[in-house]
Each structure stands twice: as structure tokens, then as C-alpha cells.
Amino acid sequence: MSIVENSFICRLLLAAWASLTDIWKGGFLHSLFDRIGHWFRKKAGESILCDLLWREGKLEKAWPESFSCHLFTAILNIPCAIAKWLYKVGKNWWDGSFFCRLLGYMGGAAAALLGLFMLVMLIAPHARWNNVYGLLGAVAITALFVFASGKRSTRLELDCLGPYVIFFFAFVGIALASSLITRLSMRFFFFHVTCFLIVLLMVSATHRVEQVQGAVALASGGLLVASLYGCYQGVIGVAVVASQQDMKVNAGMPGRVYSFFDNPNNFAEILVMLLPLALALLLNSKTVRGKLLSLAVLGAGLIAIGYTLSRSGWLGLALAVFVFLALMNWKIIPVAIVAGLLAIPFLPDFIWNRILTIGNMEDTSTRYRFAIYDATWNMMKDYWVQGVGLGSDVMKKAFATYPTMFDGNHPIHTHNNYLQMWGELGIFGGLAYLALVLGQLKRGVKTFYSAKNRELRTLAAAATGAFCGILLIGVAEYTWFYPRNMFFFWFLFGIIAACAKLAKMEK
């Protein structure tokens, strides 16, 4: 302490810090953040913002006890009812069979198996990955869960997902039936089946926060491998692909890394969805080894997302971190902003130059997006009510019947999640998708504030932040064009649903 008191540099820094603190407390930004915090601290009924976040809509409130919910849940649980009957009939044989006990044990660990499935999905090279594996894996884990439910008091908890999930997947089925080319839509229907099973398993197989964290930890292990490979690509260099970056505006920049995935944007989107969860693991971990592994995932992931040169990915991750900090402790936000500004001089030149191209209309990728939006508007004039049908393959065929863009090509998708859902499912399906994502965001925020368990709150904050990040990316990218990204979106959706379920169980 005496060294600090007698040090000219330390006294100078302390004086500068005291001056900055006084300026901050009397400044506009401090007043603004303090007012925002005051809005959030108010009780429901006293603030419009709190009412908007906390008020439970009539539909969502009535859903768990509704006839439709009971009917759909009962139908979905017919296999579980059959498994329970078979166990009751052949209990002695079931308990005496090593094979049955093994399958029952595996089914009881469905959450861990789902995390392991995500790990495999993350480290499978693009050339060796087949989306059929996603369907087979989801069906296999679901079958094990159903088998284990014969002896356990478990079931497929459709009622925990809320009404908007049912509405959305109902419109998926309608879009398949009304598709312009049904055979092209069938493949995408099975993608949606895979997603439905992933989210249903995530919420049904978790009854403790440790199970959710276990699934996230296994997925983070896969993310570490994928991120390290992305860092390796960044160090040795990859070929510059002209279709992925403007060769004039981005002259001199290195090739964009993609790890085990087909496209750097795909890789960046997965990082945005999973890195906040790794941050939650870091904060929740009780062991040094756990914290070190989480730090490794975060460090490798941050370097890898830099090498992707994905501007939408960077913005999405920034929003994810902002939301996470706002939920955990909004007072940290100014410090984080200052730290981010101070870090700018240390950024590699190619990353800073890439940041400067955000919003640059001379960049061909930016101009190309607006050309795609114009082409989408031309098509939507004819299909805005009913949509063209399920899947980007059908939409690509529909685009081909309209005038080309400035380069003589037709779009293959809308480059926007919200437009894509509207174009595929029609106006009512698009509204169902919007209600789905907004309802889940609201559920994530409510779960954070209502949960008492610290680890559960941290997970809910991280998942909600990641969800905000990927939804922002969806404004400029069609994030479901690569099915593996679609599967991880619903895995993240399921984590929020599982946290909401556990928060209700606390009460």
C-alpha cells in the first residue's frame, strides 16, 4: 500500500480514475443507464416495459390446461404409454435383461446423449456430414427416451413448449401440403422433424440444472475442436473465395475460415449461438479445470470468429454479450463499452478494415442483398398470402419464373430469416414464426428474473443473449439455409425452454 501511495504513476492513475468517475456520474450516459435500470427494477403494474416483459398473454396462460394441449400431448405420448404398459406386463423379464437395463440407462441420460450428438455434429467435416444423420440421431435418442419412460415417470413434455411452437410446426405441415413442388419440400420437412425432436428432447429430458449444463458442456467440447481448427486455418491461411468477399473493397484481406462447415458465415452463426453458453459455464463452474476448459472454448472461439470475417457474426455476438451483461448486471455495460473501444487499436488490420466495410454500398455482398430483397418483393406480390411452399429449393424454382437480378442470376433464398419464413409459409406462417421467436425471448427474460438458482439464471441469461444474437443475424442472413445451423438454433431454443421449465419447478 505504501508503494502505491508513494508512486507518482499510481497517484496519477488514481486521480484520473476519480476524475473520470465524477464525469461519468454527472454525465448523460450515466443518467440514461440509471433510468433504464430503474425501469427494469420497477414492479409489474408500475412500468409499461415491465408489463410488456412480464404479462402472460391469455393464449399462453390458457395453453397448458387447454383441451388442445392435453390432446396433442396425449397423442405424442402414445409410445411412452405403450412402453409403460409393456414394462408393467413384463416387469420381471425387463428388469432381468442386461440389454433392457442398458437401453433404459441410456434413455435416462437422453440430455447427455443430446449434448454428445451436438458435439459430433460440430466436429463432423462438411464433406462427410449428411443431414440424414441429424434425423437418425434425433430419432434414436427419442426412441431411447421413450423406452426408458416405461420404467420411469417421464414423458414427452409438449406442454412445456408453449402454443407458438405448435402453431409454427402446424404451418410447416401446411406449407408441405400446399407446396408448389411437394417432392422438393419433403426433404425440408424432415429437417423440421429433426428440429422438433431436438427441442422436445431438450425440455423433456432435463429435470435438474446440472443436466442442462451437462448437455451444454458436451456441445462446448465440440465447439472447442471446431474453433481450434478454425484458428489453425487462420494461421496457415485459406484460399480467398471471390463469392464470399468483394475483391476490390476487401483487397489484401485473407481468406475467410470455415472450420468443419461449408461457409464462414455458417461457422460464425454457430459460434454466436454457443459462445455465450460457454461463458455461462465459465461463471457456473466450481472447479479450476472447468473454468480453464471454458476459457479455452471462449478464447479459441473469439479468435475463430475474428478469422471468419463475418460482419453479421460480429454484430450478432456483440448483441449477445450486450444482452447477457444487461441481464446479469446492467452497470457493467459502460465498462464493457469502454473496454471494447480501448481494444480497437489492438485489433489486426484485416479485422478493422473489414469492420469499416459494414454498410458500405460499394461492397458487392451488400448490394447483392438489396438486389435479392427486390427480387423477393417481386415474387411476394404473388405469394404473400399462401407462400410458395416449404424449403429453399421450392423458393429457388419460384424465383426462376421472375426476372433476374442485375448480374443475370436468380436468388436461391431471401437472405433474411423473416422474409424466408413468410415466403415459404405464407403471411400467417410468417406471423407464427415471429410470435415464436418473440415469445421465446420473453420467456428467456422472465426465466432469468423469476429463477432463484444462480446457475439457472446465468444459463438463461446466456441462452437469451445468444438467441438475440442469432435473431439479429437473421435480418441479413438466412441462417437455416445450412441445416446444421438450423439444428443448433433449435438446440438453443430448447435450452431456454428447459430453463423456463426448471424455473417453474422451483416454485
Side-chain angles (χ1 to χ4, degrees):
M1 182 60 70
S2 60
I3 295 175
V4 173
E5 292 175 349
N6 295 324
S7 169
F8 171 75
I9 295 177
C10 289
R11 291 201 307 271
L12 181 64
L13 289 175
L14 288 172
W17 176 255
S19 300
L20 289 173
T21 302
D22 291 338
I23 294 172
W24 164 253
K25 288 182 178 179
F28 168 74
L29 283 177
H30 180 270
S31 300
L32 176 63
F33 281 112
D34 189 62
R35 186 174 292 268
I36 292 173
H38 183 60
W39 288 345
F40 276 100
R41 288 194 299 270
K42 278 188 173 184
K43 295 180 182 179
E46 299 178 7
S47 165
I48 295 176
L49 181 59
C50 281
D51 285 342
L52 180 64
L53 292 175
W54 285 94
R55 181 178 61 83
E56 193 170 18
K58 293 182 179 179
L59 179 62
E60 194 165 358
K61 186 176 181 180
W63 170 253
E65 302 301 326
S66 68
F67 172 77
S68 298
C69 179
H70 287 305
L71 177 63
F72 293 145
T73 303
I75 293 173
L76 192 65
N77 277 282
I78 289 175
C80 293
I82 294 173
K84 285 177 170 58
W85 177 78
L86 289 174
Y87 176 73
K88 185 178 180 180
V89 171
K91 182 177 183 300
N92 293 332
W93 175 81
W94 193 302
D95 291 339
S97 169
F98 171 77
F99 184 67
C100 287
R101 292 201 308 272
L102 177 62
L103 292 180
Y105 174 79
M106 294 174 66
L113 288 178
L114 185 60
L116 185 62
F117 180 46
M118 295 294 111
L119 184 154
V120 172
M121 201 181 296
L122 280 165
I123 64 176
H126 173 73
R128 295 183 177 275
W129 173 257
N130 190 314
N131 294 311
V132 175
Y133 300 154
L135 177 63
L136 293 176
V139 169
I141 300 173
T142 304
L144 288 170
F145 178 85
V146 169
F147 184 86
S149 70
K151 188 176 180 180
R152 301 167 182 264
S153 58
T154 53
R155 63 186 181 92
L156 296 170
E157 300 179 32
L158 183 67
D159 49 315
C160 291
L161 294 179
Y164 301 120
V165 172
I166 308 303
F167 293 158
F168 174 74
F169 282 106
F171 279 107
V172 166
I174 294 171
L176 172 67
S178 61
S179 174
L180 297 179
I181 309 174
T182 305
R183 61 179 178 81
L184 292 181
S185 295
M186 187 60 67
R187 182 167 67 98
F188 293 86
F189 177 74
F190 286 115
F191 293 161
H192 284 281
V193 169
T194 304
C195 295
F196 179 73
L197 292 178
I198 287 173
V199 70
L200 186 64
L201 278 170
M202 192 67 228
V203 76
S204 302
T206 51
H207 301 89
R208 302 186 311 276
V209 67
E210 292 81 9
Q211 291 175 309
V212 182
Q213 288 197 140
V216 171
L218 285 168
S220 296
L223 186 66
L224 176 60
V225 176
S227 297
L228 288 174
Y229 185 58
C231 294
Y232 169 75
Q233 287 180 327
V235 171
I236 66 171
V238 295
V240 176
V241 180
S243 61
Q244 294 178 356
Q245 57 196 89
D246 189 299
M247 302 300 290
K248 181 178 179 182
V249 176
N250 297 278
M253 292 189 190
R256 302 175 59 189
V257 307
Y258 47 86
S259 188
F260 299 119
F261 309 97
D262 184 45
N263 183 284
N265 287 333
N266 297 334
F267 182 32
E269 289 158 13
I270 288 176
L271 288 167
V272 169
M273 287 188 280
L274 296 183
L275 279 178
L277 299 177
L279 179 57
L281 290 180
L282 173 65
L283 297 177
N284 287 343
S285 179
K286 296 180 175 63
T287 64
V288 174
R289 183 178 63 178
K291 290 186 180 297
L292 289 176
L293 288 174
S294 299
L295 278 173
V297 176
L298 289 169
L302 288 173
I303 295 172
I305 200 171
Y307 277 125
T308 64
L309 297 180
S310 173
R311 295 168 295 191
S312 61
W314 296 343
L315 292 175
L317 185 60
L319 178 62
V321 173
F322 180 89
V323 172
F324 177 77
L325 293 178
L327 290 172
M328 295 295 292
N329 187 349
W330 63 270
K331 294 181 179 180
I332 301 177
I333 292 176
V335 178
I337 293 174
V338 172
L341 293 175
L342 292 176
I344 289 176
F346 300 98
L347 291 175
D349 290 341
F350 68 90
I351 291 182
W352 177 240
N353 292 334
R354 181 69 170 173
I355 291 174
L356 294 177
T357 66
I358 295 176
N360 187 345
M361 292 303 297
E362 294 183 3
D363 190 288
T364 54
S365 63
T366 304
R367 288 194 295 118
Y368 207 71
R369 279 174 173 80
F370 282 98
I372 290 174
Y373 298 152
D374 288 338
T376 301
W377 176 246
N378 290 334
M379 184 191 70
M380 293 298 286
K381 292 176 183 177
D382 296 325
Y383 293 101
W384 71 274
V385 176
Q386 75 276 25
V388 299
L390 191 64
S392 56
D393 286 354
V394 175
M395 185 166 284
K396 182 180 178 181
K397 291 288 186 180
F399 273 129
T401 62
Y402 291 85
T404 63
M405 296 183 293
F406 65 88
D407 64 345
N409 294 319
H410 292 99
I412 56 177
H413 55 72
T414 65
H415 245 295
N416 180 295
N417 271 31
Y418 310 94
L419 282 177
Q420 188 74 22
M421 290 299 99
W422 183 6
E424 290 184 19
L425 310 182
I427 182 63
F428 298 108
L431 290 174
Y433 173 74
L434 197 60
L436 172 83
V437 296
L438 292 178
Q440 197 68 352
L441 277 180
K442 181 178 177 180
R443 178 180 288 190
V445 174
K446 287 181 66 174
T447 299
F448 173 80
Y449 282 108
S450 62
K452 298 177 181 178
N453 183 291
R454 183 189 65 82
E455 295 178 351
L456 183 59
R457 284 165 57 88
T458 305
L459 272 175
T464 303
F467 201 62
C468 288
I470 195 63
L471 292 182
L472 176 63
I473 295 175
V475 175
E477 305 284 352
Y478 175 39
T479 61
W480 290 2
F481 184 64
Y482 193 57
R484 274 199 275 188
N485 289 45
M486 186 179 180
F487 301 156
F488 280 102
F489 176 93
W490 286 99
F491 176 68
L492 178 62
F493 190 100
I495 289 172
I496 297 176
C499 289
K501 167 191 163 181
L502 295 175
K504 286 187 177 181
M505 288 173 61
E506 282 184 341
K507 298 180 180 180

